[in-house]
Amino acid sequence: MKFILTMYICSAIAQQCGAPIVKTTEYNDWNDCLQNGYSESQLFLSKISPEEINKHQILTKFSCTQKEIGEGV
């Protein structure tokens, strides 16, 4: 069973998220996907200034979805 990570970059002020970002990596289990989701979120946020994060109240959300056998990304 494989999992696909989908990330969302959102603004709490605007109460909306941008288009989903589907990662191409296939994770072997839920834990690997989950851990990578947190790592990718932290990496993304580290590239944005604290001023911008505070101004727009930027946040990340992500989901790990089980990939069906034979399903492409």
Side-chain angles (χ1 to χ4, degrees):
M1 168 175 6
K2 302 282 185 175
F3 291 88
I4 302 296
L5 174 64
T6 303
M7 297 189 65
Y8 305 87
I9 311 306
C10 309
S11 166
I13 291 175
Q15 295 186 348
Q16 63 183 14
C17 299
I21 302 165
V22 180
K23 298 295 187 170
T24 57
T25 303
E26 294 182 6
Y27 299 95
N28 291 322
D29 59 31
W30 175 264
N31 181 64
D32 287 348
C33 183
L34 183 71
Q35 297 293 338
N36 196 264
Y38 285 113
S39 297
E40 288 285 328
S41 292
Q42 187 173 16
L43 179 64
F44 176 82
L45 292 171
S46 73
K47 295 178 181 179
I48 302 173
S49 72
E51 293 79 19
E52 283 298 303
I53 291 173
N54 288 324
K55 179 180 177 182
H56 301 287
Q57 294 184 0
I58 295 173
L59 59 101
T60 60
K61 298 190 321 183
F62 65 88
S63 62
C64 293
T65 306
Q66 184 175 339
K67 181 181 175 187
E68 299 298 324
I69 296 173
E71 178 183 350
V73 176

